[in-house]
Amino acid sequence: MDTDLDTTLEEDSQYPNDEEVPYSDDETDDELESPSVEPEQNRFNREAEQIQETSKKEYSWQVKANDHNFYDQPQFKKKKFLCLKKSKYSGNEIKTYKYNPITFLPLNLWEQFKRAANTYFLMLLILQAIPMISTVSWSTTLIPLLLVLGITAVKDLVDDIARHRMDNEINNRSCEVIADGRFKHVKWKDIHVGDVIRLKKNDFIPADVLLLSSSEPNSLCYVETAELDGETNLKFKMALEVTDRLLQQEQMMAEFDALIECEEPNNRLDKFLGTMFWRGASYPIDADKILLRGCKIRNTDYCHGLVIFAGSDTKIMRNGGKNRLKRTKIDSLMNYMVYTIFVLLILASAGLAIGQTYWDDQLGKKNVSWYLYDGYDYKPSYRGFLAFWGYIIVLNTMVPISLYVSVEVIRLGQSYFINWDLQMYYPEKDTPAKARTTTLNEQLGQIQYIFSDKTGTLTQNIMTFKKCTINRHIYGQNRAIGGKLSEKLEQVDFSWNMYADGKLSFTDSFLIEQIKSGKDPDVQEFFKLLAICHTVMVDRTEGDIAYQAASPDEGALVTAARNFGFVFLSRTQTTITISEMGIERIYNVLAILDFNSDRKRMSVVVKGPEGNIKLYCKGADTVVYERLHPDNPIKEETQEALDVFANETLRTLCLCYKDIEQAEFEKWYKKYMAASVATSNRDEALDKVYEEIETNLILLGATAIEDKLQDGVPQTISKLAKADIKIWVLTGDKKETAENIGFSCELLTDDTDIHYGEDISTLLQTRMENQRNQAGANLANSQNEPFFQTDRKQALVITGSWLNEILLEKKKKKKKRLKLKIPRTAEEKQKELLNRQKVDAMKEMRQRTFVDLACECHAVICCRVTPKQKAMVVDLVKKYKKAVTLAIGDGANDVNMIKTAHIGVGISGQEGMQAVMSSDYSFAQFRFLQRLILVHGRWSYIRMCKFLRYFFYKNFAFTLVHFWYSFFNGFSAQPVYEDWFIALYNVLYSSLPVLLVGLLDQDVSDKLSLRFPFLYIPGQKDLLFNYQKFFISLCHGIITSLVIFFIPYGAFLLTMGQDGEAPSDYQSFAVTTATALIVTVNCQIGLDTSYWTFVNAFSVFGSIAIYFGIMFDLHSAGIHILFPSTFIFTGTAPNALKQPYLWLTIILTVAICLFPVVALRFFSKTVWPTDSDKVQRNRKKFKAEEEWKPRHSIFRRGVSSRRSAYAFSHQRGYADLIASGRNIPKKRAPLDAILGGNAAELIRARKMS
């Protein structure tokens, strides 16, 4: 690798910000360009270019309100096919189905005949219709082929009908749209771009919509984005002031004729750029004014919007990723094995055709076969050519036509077992498990990597107040009664509080006593802080109080204060009203210092009824401790409490306050107002001012919130880890939150070495430098060297920004200059191509090295990642590790990942169904994943492997008898068996037992499968079905065919029956070999069966009985009279099977075939038992269920293990909204009393800005 290239890449690399979500998937270079100093002439050129190109490049999507004819203009058409054109604006109808009544038959047949096996059998059927080469009736192929095509078509039809129903359910939802001057109810599928729609409370949003107005003050609208990201906390959107003011009446909506120019449809959920032109003025539009499809209207009676993007153009659909055709490893392997059988078939047919040529050339001249003369004087070589095709027909059952349909039937049955599993049913939401595909079941038994979302998948996204520490005391844990810890935890009674919501579960009544008694003023100050210091908004209806928080963490803290007697009641632009133990008090809010990801804290400055000014602050311990007053007596005790909370994986916030003198506040407030009206770098200026007052804080204590995991998550992860399955968490949450959840679900432990972005980058740089310095064999050795020379568990915690940096996915930031287009020489083009190839090679090496590093780790957590990055991580593991992957999530931001993985699982979450609709399997709780994989997946894999091994065996045993017979019939391509036996062998005589094994067999019970996860490992290593197992089945079939042919053949050489006649005719021989074959293969499946039921026993013995019943019917005189040319074995079975000698021959043949198998099985299970054999042998000892014990962290006093997982949203709160007063009635701020005449001047300046 060139040094120059390395230097360039290193120069481009900068340390990324862990808190930032990296660039969105469709971002342009303009958006990525960082501000920098540029030459004056370049600036002039850039501004000129921007004026000309902005509208063309960024705002090429035009939407005209209430004007459908606008979209019929030629510039809005795009070529579809030849000269046919269609509108570039998508309709709102969603189509996931494949067929309609007209296209079903041709399309389905086309898809089925794309399978090599089906096409092969169609060609075979055509060959069998040629009398010159066919020695077998065409019905032997036609009947099985029709059966295969019919069953597959019915299955595809059922699947597509289900897709039709789901599409219709969504497309036929109702919505109100302006038409003919008033709102009318129309179906979602009839909504078009440019329509003005009305949505009501709890409605799903049908398209991407520009918010125009709502029932809330100043046209606020609250939405729940669970469908997008699984989060249930409400987010607010706000309409433009002009539309809020003018578009409240239905008539105004109908007359609304604005033109919207905005960016083209893309997958950026968090960004939107556009401009509205209306009544001669233009208004900027951003993402805060857009309601996205899939979200739900909450706490808003109604709202109006203009459809910007519809159907497949909406952001939720754009984030869906490509639909990929998913096939299992066994499918691919099975196809290669079928190709191998094709080759063997051709070789065998060619060899026998050569034998026919030789036999006709050498013996035909001597007239040995005069009775075979057909009246044609063909040359021996031509007869050999005809014999080749004849043997292709005779030996065609080597490629089993019923294999594919049998596999589909087994998969369908296994899918129903998943749907019917009551242990995967979630009664709280009446949600059963659902196998949404029938083609991937056995792949569930081979999973090596699981990629999981966090919010709504591992967690419930429900925050609960668990513990706190105030003035050296920890509340919320067991207390000693009479010197002993109380074993029984009693819930605190909150009935004394009229405002308590009755949902908080708290077990320490001592805290209630402290609050009521007032002995410790810090306790009351603690909860007063929680009731005041926040950006929560309240909704009071009919006496009920409902909080709307920017994050569930903040909502949990305010709700906790409410239950403990400090109730947030209402707020205006400059006041907040709380109830302190039943007494209402109003505090003047002088300033809100909002949270952001850099500050990791928020503060509020208030003036109490007594006139004293206080600053209340809550934030991450890492930033709060830096700002504490040197004299804080509870600092050490609070730190120890934080360590205890961290060991219990609780999310913590430190609470502190500060008394502020009037003069100090006035001085600071002037700086604050000046920073508020700054025209440049306003955020930086405000942060600097915030720092000045957030000093010398007095620590009150800390809160501990539980980010509630779903039930059974740690147990499930522990079980899957024992099955050698690695679990990676991919989330959009901030690093601290993701890491804390890693500890909660025991992916991370105290004895795990955690590596972050900078560590990973250093490790990769070192490894790649070593690889560049080595060559040849040394390079291979360096690639195989482990990254970590230790036995300790390793884990990666990496952010999306670092991921782009490490994987060289970071988009280049282009500097815009005046470019002169000068033709490049061939040498320059070649040099550019070589440089591009070098960059691509380095990128691939870097990605491969990163995957090797990550796969060495026990756990990987990727946080602050975009949907595209989630899919990219999955794809990298698929590409470089060739591992079977599973992705599980619950939101639209997980759809791309779910589609990319080999298997996608959707969680039926709070409201989101987008992930479920795109998934292969779905259920309601993460804990069901262990049963899906370790029980259903493992059983499905074992069953399918056993089925395939046996299926190939029985077909080889059946078909190769023809091969041996050819050496004794002059290579004439005459079959051994009757035509009807050939047609019914795979359909009736040997199909049911093996199908039941594929559906019902199990080596150990479901409880033992869960108790011993290591039993899952053989599936990951492909131990039960591979080419070795295939050739063992081939050899077993060859040996069985040899015995089935030569034992009866030897018995028929010198034989005399009881009636003095030798039963050595061809038809008796055919019956004898066929009977021996049926008994042998059905007894063989009995030996392969691990789990016997009445159904299995009935199928084995019933198949033999069916064979005898049908054979005697087909050989009867009555059916021969009706169809004399079709049924020619008249009386053969009754005559042959009345001879005891033939029965002895059949029994001897079966015994020789089966006894070696029994002996070998006994020897292998005794000498080399598998793990499954050992568990099965001792299953009675393991009847009692193993109890899972959580891993407890060891708390060492004085040794800080604190993980600062602060409880805060990773976005700004509602501070700007509150300060603007747009959501609440405005009230005059009492700042004149504080600042005198300066207040009016400062406020006027702020408004002008």
Side-chain angles (χ1 to χ4, degrees):
M1 196 66 65
D2 286 358
T3 309
D4 294 341
L5 180 65
D6 300 338
T7 306
T8 303
L9 287 165
E10 287 172 8
E11 285 173 356
D12 287 342
S13 178
Q14 297 177 353
Y15 270 23
N17 185 350
D18 281 343
E19 299 295 339
E20 287 183 0
V21 177
Y23 61 80
S24 298
D25 306 341
D26 294 335
E27 276 184 333
T28 62
D29 292 323
D30 298 333
E31 294 165 326
L32 290 166
E33 185 174 7
S34 58
S36 58
V37 179
E38 57 181 341
E40 190 70 14
Q41 65 272 22
N42 285 349
R43 186 172 63 81
F44 289 133
N45 291 330
R46 177 176 58 78
E47 290 175 354
E49 288 176 2
Q50 282 182 340
I51 293 171
Q52 295 175 5
E53 296 182 7
T54 295
S55 60
K56 181 181 177 181
K57 186 174 182 180
E58 293 184 0
Y59 297 157
S60 57
W61 189 264
Q62 294 185 330
V63 177
K64 187 72 180 290
N66 292 317
D67 187 358
H68 287 182
N69 296 327
F70 176 79
Y71 308 101
D72 295 331
Q73 298 179 61
Q75 66 264 33
F76 299 138
K77 301 288 184 180
K78 60 181 180 181
K79 186 179 290 186
K80 184 179 179 184
F81 178 73
L82 296 178
C83 59
L84 298 177
K85 293 185 177 182
K86 62 173 289 188
S87 173
K88 74 172 185 176
Y89 297 91
S90 295
N92 206 42
E93 185 176 8
I94 300 299
K95 296 179 182 179
T96 62
Y97 57 83
K98 297 195 312 188
Y99 312 112
N100 60 41
I102 297 173
T103 62
F104 172 71
L105 196 60
L107 273 182
N108 188 260
L109 287 176
W110 168 251
E111 288 182 356
Q112 290 204 59
F113 281 115
K114 285 198 290 187
R115 278 184 172 173
N118 288 342
T119 304
Y120 164 75
F121 281 107
L122 180 64
M123 295 172 60
L124 196 68
L125 184 63
I126 296 171
L127 289 175
Q128 283 182 290
I130 303 173
M132 191 180 299
I133 61 175
S134 178
T135 59
V136 181
S137 172
W138 52 267
S139 61
T140 60
T141 300
L142 179 64
I143 294 172
L145 182 60
L146 288 177
L147 193 66
V148 168
L149 296 176
I151 292 176
T152 306
V154 169
K155 185 188 83 64
D156 291 342
L157 180 61
V158 170
D159 288 345
D160 208 55
I161 287 174
R163 284 191 285 266
H164 269 278
R165 285 175 179 167
M166 186 165 290
D167 288 348
N168 289 335
E169 181 184 345
I170 295 173
N171 291 329
N172 291 328
R173 288 176 178 172
S174 180
C175 178
E176 291 184 86
V177 176
I178 280 282
D180 301 327
R182 61 190 180 88
F183 281 105
K184 295 181 180 180
H185 284 277
V186 301
K187 296 177 179 178
W188 276 24
K189 64 182 179 182
D190 298 325
I191 294 174
H192 299 93
V193 171
D195 283 346
V196 175
I197 64 175
R198 174 191 287 163
L199 299 170
K200 295 182 179 177
K201 188 175 182 179
N202 296 328
D203 281 352
F204 279 107
I205 300 170
D208 289 352
V209 173
L210 169 65
L211 179 62
L212 299 176
S213 62
S214 80
S215 58
E216 294 297 298
N218 297 288
S219 289
L220 275 177
C221 181
Y222 299 99
V223 295
E224 184 181 89
T225 60
E227 187 88 8
L228 294 176
D229 53 22
E231 294 186 5
T232 54
N233 51 293
L234 301 184
K235 299 175 177 63
F236 69 88
K237 303 290 182 178
M238 191 185 305
L240 288 165
E241 205 163 348
V242 62
T243 58
D244 163 52
R245 190 173 67 254
L246 300 178
L247 296 180
Q248 293 290 347
Q249 302 299 321
E250 188 172 300
Q251 182 181 354
M252 295 299 296
M253 296 284 179
E255 295 173 357
F256 183 55
D257 60 351
L259 175 67
I260 310 296
E261 291 187 355
C262 63
E263 60 192 13
E264 290 282 327
N266 56 65
N267 61 1
R268 295 174 294 182
L269 295 172
D270 57 338
K271 289 190 178 181
F272 183 87
L273 293 174
T275 305
M276 183 179 80
F277 300 94
W278 189 38
R279 296 184 175 181
S282 61
Y283 307 91
I285 304 171
D286 57 22
D288 290 335
K289 298 170 181 60
I290 301 296
L291 307 178
L292 299 182
R293 178 182 176 126
C295 296
K296 201 171 190 178
I297 305 296
R298 292 288 198 191
N299 295 357
T300 306
D301 291 334
Y302 64 84
C303 67
H304 302 107
L306 173 68
V307 176
I308 303 294
F309 302 131
S312 58
D313 290 335
T314 57
K315 292 181 182 289
I316 191 172
M317 299 301 293
R318 288 272 174 157
N319 267 290
K322 295 180 181 178
N323 285 317
R324 293 173 169 84
L325 177 63
K326 295 186 178 183
R327 299 179 63 190
T328 66
K329 288 176 73 175
I330 283 184
D331 259 339
S332 302
L333 190 59
M334 191 166 63
N335 282 341
Y336 282 118
M337 289 176 179
V338 169
Y339 298 148
T340 304
I341 295 172
F342 279 153
V343 173
L344 293 176
L345 171 63
I346 292 170
L347 292 176
S349 300
L352 294 174
I354 293 170
Q356 160 70 15
T357 304
Y358 174 80
W359 191 89
D360 194 63
D361 182 55
Q362 298 298 320
L363 303 179
K365 294 177 180 178
K366 299 178 181 179
N367 207 24
V368 174
S369 57
W370 57 270
Y371 54 87
L372 294 177
Y373 182 65
D374 54 7
Y376 298 103
D377 295 322
Y378 293 139
K379 293 181 180 180
S381 57
Y382 185 68
R383 287 191 180 275
F385 173 76
L386 296 178
F388 171 79
W389 295 108
Y391 274 113
I392 289 287
I393 294 171
V394 170
L395 301 178
N396 76 81
T397 48
M398 283 178 68
V399 181
I401 189 171
S402 59
L403 173 64
Y404 290 100
V405 72
S406 300
V407 167
E408 294 298 331
V409 169
I410 289 172
R411 286 172 172 168
L412 184 63
Q414 290 168 347
S415 299
Y416 277 111
F417 291 150
I418 293 173
N419 298 345
W420 295 337
D421 191 343
L422 291 177
Q423 295 190 54
M424 296 172 67
Y425 171 72
Y426 191 54
E428 290 185 23
K429 293 192 176 179
D430 189 28
T431 307
K434 176 71 175 174
R436 301 174 57 83
T437 181
T438 60
T439 59
L440 301 173
N441 297 325
E442 67 272 13
Q443 190 95 310
L444 286 169
Q446 299 182 279
I447 303 298
Q448 293 165 275
Y449 290 86
I450 292 176
F451 300 89
S452 174
D453 179 40
K454 182 193 78 69
T455 306
T457 304
L458 297 176
T459 67
Q460 300 181 33
N461 201 31
I462 297 174
M463 306 298 171
T464 55
F465 183 85
K466 298 295 288 185
K467 294 183 180 182
C468 62
T469 174
I470 309 172
N471 197 11
R472 298 188 175 94
H473 296 289
I474 295 178
Y475 300 96
Q477 60 187 9
N478 284 9
R479 293 196 173 272
I481 301 176
K484 295 183 180 179
L485 284 176
S486 173
E487 295 182 1
K488 187 177 180 181
L489 297 176
E490 294 186 2
Q491 300 297 320
V492 171
D493 181 15
F494 290 105
S495 59
W496 56 272
N497 182 1
M498 62 178 290
Y499 292 108
D501 64 355
K503 298 177 183 178
L504 180 63
S505 175
F506 198 75
T507 57
D508 192 351
S509 57
F510 185 60
L511 180 57
I512 300 294
E513 296 173 10
Q514 289 288 87
I515 293 174
K516 289 182 177 179
S517 67
K519 293 178 181 178
D520 187 353
D522 285 349
V523 173
Q524 294 195 350
E525 194 73 8
F526 183 92
F527 287 102
K528 185 194 298 184
L529 186 154
L530 291 180
I532 292 175
C533 184
H534 56 79
T535 58
V536 173
M537 290 184 282
V538 65
D539 182 16
R540 300 186 69 176
T541 54
E542 299 178 1
D544 292 333
I545 297 176
Y547 293 139
Q548 299 158 6
S551 74
D553 314 79
E554 198 165 50
L557 292 174
V558 176
T559 302
R562 166 186 176 177
N563 283 280
F564 285 107
F566 291 78
V567 189
F568 166 47
L569 296 176
S570 65
R571 78 182 331 140
T572 66
Q573 185 178 359
T574 56
T575 67
I576 184 168
T577 304
I578 67 172
S579 170
E580 300 178 10
M581 300 301 291
I583 302 173
E584 286 195 15
R585 292 168 66 87
I586 299 176
Y587 291 84
N588 293 320
V589 180
L590 307 181
I592 298 178
L593 287 55
D594 200 8
F595 165 88
N596 64 40
S597 57
D598 293 324
R599 284 169 41 76
K600 298 183 181 179
R601 65 192 182 278
M602 79 155 290
S603 301
V604 59
V605 182
V606 296
K607 184 175 184 180
E610 298 82 8
N612 57 321
I613 300 175
K614 275 193 175 183
L615 177 141
Y616 289 117
C617 177
K618 62 183 181 184
D621 50 290
T622 51
V623 295
V624 168
Y625 266 58
E626 295 173 357
R627 290 158 178 81
L628 292 179
H629 191 280
D631 183 18
N632 258 285
I634 64 169
K635 186 175 179 180
E636 296 300 324
E637 289 84 350
T638 304
Q639 181 172 322
E640 289 185 4
L642 287 168
D643 292 339
V644 172
F645 298 156
N647 284 323
E648 296 173 9
T649 65
L650 299 175
R651 302 175 66 174
T652 58
L653 278 178
C654 286
L655 274 57
C656 48
Y657 72 96
K658 174 183 178 180
D659 290 310
I660 304 176
E661 296 295 331
Q662 181 82 22
E664 180 187 358
F665 175 74
E666 290 180 9
K667 181 181 178 182
W668 174 85
Y669 193 78
K670 290 178 182 178
K671 295 180 181 179
Y672 169 67
M673 293 300 290
S676 299
V677 298
T679 57
S680 62
N681 300 324
R682 181 178 298 177
D683 289 341
E684 291 80 359
L686 282 171
D687 285 348
K688 188 175 180 181
V689 173
Y690 293 165
E691 288 281 353
E692 292 183 14
I693 200 165
E694 291 175 328
T695 56
N696 296 323
L697 304 175
I698 306 300
L699 186 63
L700 281 171
T703 60
I705 290 178
E706 180 184 27
D707 189 357
K708 202 168 180 61
L709 290 174
Q710 291 187 13
D711 294 338
V713 167
Q715 298 93 313
T716 300
I717 288 176
S718 175
K719 285 273 176 64
L720 295 174
K722 290 176 183 176
D724 201 22
I725 298 173
K726 293 185 177 179
I727 299 177
W728 294 19
V729 176
L730 312 178
T731 177
D733 260 347
K734 63 179 185 286
K735 183 169 68 174
E736 289 85 354
T737 306
E739 188 176 333
N740 206 49
I741 288 298
F743 281 96
S744 297
C745 62
E746 298 191 3
L747 267 177
L748 306 177
T749 59
D750 289 334
D751 58 352
T752 302
D753 292 336
I754 301 176
H755 305 273
Y756 299 99
E758 52 271 25
D759 309 325
I760 301 165
S761 183
T762 303
L763 282 168
L764 293 179
Q765 287 285 4
T766 304
R767 172 60 60 90
M768 293 183 70
E769 286 175 8
N770 292 339
Q771 289 175 354
R772 285 195 293 268
N773 294 332
Q774 296 176 359
N778 290 333
L779 178 59
N781 292 336
S782 68
Q783 288 177 339
N784 294 327
E785 288 178 5
F787 283 88
F788 308 106
Q789 308 291 337
T790 176
D791 294 333
R792 286 173 59 87
K793 290 182 179 179
Q794 308 296 322
L796 299 188
V797 176
I798 185 169
T799 60
S801 301
W802 269 110
L803 201 60
N804 281 343
E805 185 80 19
I806 288 170
L807 299 180
L808 305 181
E809 289 285 346
K810 194 167 154 187
K811 291 187 179 180
K812 300 295 180 186
K813 297 175 181 176
K814 297 180 181 179
K815 295 179 180 178
K816 293 193 174 183
R817 296 184 176 90
L818 184 62
K819 296 179 180 178
L820 299 175
K821 293 185 178 180
I822 302 174
R824 290 177 299 170
T825 64
E827 184 179 351
E828 288 174 333
K829 291 180 180 179
Q830 183 66 22
K831 185 177 180 181
E832 183 181 351
L833 178 63
L834 288 174
N835 283 336
R836 191 180 299 118
Q837 290 174 346
K838 289 178 181 179
V839 170
D840 291 342
M842 182 173 183
K843 180 177 177 180
E844 182 176 351
M845 182 187 297
R846 183 79 171 240
Q847 291 180 344
R848 184 187 296 275
T849 309
F850 170 75
V851 172
D852 290 339
L853 168 64
C855 291
E856 278 187 29
C857 295
H858 174 73
V860 176
I861 297 177
C862 300
C863 39
R864 309 298 275 149
V865 288
T866 64
K868 184 178 179 181
Q869 284 182 310
K870 291 184 178 184
M872 180 186 70
V873 170
V874 176
D875 198 49
L876 286 175
V877 175
K878 285 174 60 179
K879 179 180 179 182
Y880 294 117
K881 286 299 177 183
K882 307 298 180 186
V884 180
T885 58
L886 180 148
I888 179 170
D890 73 319
N893 56 349
D894 303 315
V895 168
N896 205 346
M897 169 178 75
I898 285 172
K899 288 182 176 180
T900 302
H902 292 99
I903 292 177
V905 177
I907 298 286
S908 305
Q910 300 282 353
E911 294 292 344
M913 289 296 291
Q914 193 70 20
V916 170
M917 291 173 64
S918 303
S919 66
D920 305 306
Y921 300 89
S922 66
F923 41 70
Q925 294 281 288
F926 182 84
R927 69 175 183 272
F928 296 148
L929 184 63
Q930 62 176 319
R931 186 166 181 85
L932 180 70
I933 291 177
L934 300 182
V935 177
H936 290 287
R938 182 175 170 277
W939 279 352
S940 296
Y941 173 73
I942 291 173
R943 290 164 179 169
M944 186 59 70
C945 292
K946 190 175 285 188
F947 165 82
L948 291 173
R949 294 198 306 264
Y950 173 79
F951 206 95
F952 285 128
Y953 153 75
K954 78 181 182 69
N955 275 71
F956 287 135
F958 164 64
T959 305
L960 292 177
V961 174
H962 296 300
F963 184 83
W964 311 123
Y965 183 54
S966 299
F967 291 93
F968 300 91
N969 67 8
F971 303 98
S972 59
Q974 181 187 14
V976 178
Y977 314 112
E978 178 193 8
D979 288 352
W980 284 103
F981 177 82
I982 295 173
L984 298 176
Y985 174 75
N986 276 320
V987 176
L988 287 177
Y989 299 155
S990 63
S991 59
L992 189 56
V994 70
L995 278 177
L996 289 175
V997 165
L999 286 169
L1000 302 175
D1001 201 50
Q1002 49 183 265
D1003 54 346
V1004 296
S1005 67
D1006 54 344
K1007 290 182 180 178
L1008 292 178
S1009 295
L1010 290 171
R1011 184 165 181 181
F1012 300 103
F1014 60 81
L1015 295 175
Y1016 185 83
I1017 294 175
Q1020 296 171 324
K1021 298 181 178 179
D1022 300 322
L1023 296 181
L1024 301 185
F1025 187 67
N1026 47 45
Y1027 260 103
Q1028 180 185 0
K1029 298 293 184 183
F1030 170 74
F1031 283 112
I1032 289 174
S1033 296
L1034 173 60
C1035 294
H1036 190 190
I1038 291 172
I1039 294 169
T1040 301
S1041 66
L1042 281 167
V1043 174
I1044 285 174
F1045 175 77
F1046 283 104
I1047 295 295
Y1049 177 76
F1052 272 65
L1053 278 177
L1054 300 169
T1055 304
M1056 185 64 69
Q1058 287 181 332
D1059 55 3
E1061 297 180 0
S1064 56
D1065 60 288
Y1066 159 71
Q1067 292 185 346
S1068 297
F1069 180 75
V1071 169
T1072 305
T1073 53
T1075 304
L1077 175 67
I1078 292 299
V1079 176
T1080 298
V1081 295
N1082 280 288
C1083 290
Q1084 179 66 49
I1085 195 62
L1087 293 176
D1088 290 343
T1089 302
S1090 302
Y1091 183 68
W1092 277 94
T1093 64
F1094 169 78
V1095 179
N1096 291 87
F1098 178 80
S1099 69
V1100 171
F1101 298 111
S1103 294
I1104 297 174
I1106 288 172
Y1107 161 73
F1108 280 111
I1110 293 178
M1111 182 178 64
F1112 277 98
D1113 285 340
L1114 296 180
H1115 292 187
S1116 65
I1119 200 167
H1120 174 70
I1121 292 171
L1122 293 174
F1123 307 99
S1125 61
T1126 306
F1127 300 96
I1128 58 176
F1129 275 54
T1130 309
T1132 301
N1135 291 333
L1137 295 181
K1138 72 181 181 181
Q1139 302 288 343
Y1141 186 82
L1142 294 188
W1143 279 107
L1144 183 62
T1145 302
I1146 292 169
I1147 293 171
L1148 179 64
T1149 304
V1150 172
I1152 293 175
C1153 287
L1154 296 181
F1155 279 164
V1157 177
V1158 174
L1160 187 61
R1161 295 275 174 89
F1162 176 79
F1163 183 75
S1164 64
K1165 284 180 180 290
T1166 306
V1167 180
W1168 303 297
T1170 62
D1171 290 333
S1172 175
D1173 294 332
K1174 294 174 184 177
V1175 171
Q1176 193 175 20
R1177 190 181 301 161
N1178 300 305
R1179 60 186 178 276
K1180 291 183 180 179
K1181 297 180 182 178
F1182 304 133
K1183 279 189 176 179
E1185 290 191 26
E1186 184 182 32
E1187 185 177 350
W1188 180 80
K1189 296 179 180 178
R1191 184 185 290 110
H1192 292 289
S1193 299
I1194 301 173
F1195 173 61
R1196 296 181 292 275
R1197 188 171 295 278
V1199 179
S1200 176
S1201 62
R1202 176 153 31 96
R1203 298 180 294 274
S1204 180
Y1206 56 94
F1208 254 130
S1209 169
H1210 53 263
Q1211 60 186 6
R1212 279 187 176 271
Y1214 295 148
D1216 293 339
L1217 183 63
I1218 295 166
S1220 70
R1222 292 197 61 184
N1223 66 310
I1224 39 187
K1226 294 186 180 180
K1227 184 176 180 181
R1228 182 175 177 80
L1231 291 178
D1232 289 331
I1234 300 170
L1235 299 176
N1238 292 335
E1241 183 181 346
L1242 288 170
I1243 291 171
R1244 193 180 305 112
R1246 187 177 183 182
K1247 285 182 177 179
M1248 289 175 63
S1249 69

